[in-house]
Amino acid sequence: MGNVAALVGVLVLSVRLVKPSLDRVATWRLALALSLPALLLNPVLITIGFGQVNLFVTFLVMWICSPIADREAPAPPRRGHGLAAAVKLTPLLFVPYLLLTDGGAGR
C-alpha cells in the first residue's frame, strides 16, 4: 500500500512539473488515472511485488530536487535527502549536484 501511495506521489509531482497550469483537483485526477497503467509497468510490478523501497526513494528525490518543493514544502530538503540516503545509498549521488548547483540554498 505504501508503494502505491509513493507511485501516486511520483505521478502527482511529475504531472505538476510537466503541466503546472493544472489545478490541484485536475492534477490528482490525472495522476490517479495514470497510476493504473503505471502499475502495469514491469519495474513497478517488481518493486511492489518484492516490497522494495525504490518508489519511496524516487518520490523523496523528486520532492527534494523539484521546484515545487521550493514553494510548498515545509520541511527542509536536506532532511529529506538524508532520509532517502539512509534508506538507500543511490540518492547520495545527488549530493555533489546539490553542492555544485547550490540546490539547497535558502531552504
Side-chain angles (χ1 to χ4, degrees):
M1 191 63 154
N3 275 329
V4 175
L7 175 65
V8 172
V10 167
L11 290 171
V12 166
L13 283 175
S14 299
V15 168
R16 291 182 71 193
L17 287 171
V18 171
K19 192 77 171 165
S21 61
L22 286 178
D23 63 340
R24 284 188 186 269
V25 175
T27 300
W28 278 92
R29 284 183 184 161
L30 184 56
L32 289 173
L34 290 173
S35 64
L36 181 61
L39 283 171
L40 299 176
L41 296 172
N42 192 29
V44 176
L45 278 175
I46 290 173
T47 297
I48 292 173
F50 291 144
Q52 297 175 342
V53 294
N54 297 338
L55 289 171
F56 179 68
V57 172
T58 303
F59 172 73
L60 279 176
V61 170
M62 282 185 68
W63 176 62
I64 294 163
C65 295
S66 73
I68 295 169
D70 293 340
R71 295 190 305 251
E72 300 175 3
R78 294 187 196 273
R79 288 189 201 157
H81 203 83
L83 179 62
V87 171
K88 202 163 190 170
L89 292 177
T90 307
L92 285 177
L93 296 173
F94 289 99
V95 170
Y97 168 76
L98 292 173
L99 290 174
L100 290 174
T101 61
D102 202 23
R107 295 184 192 185

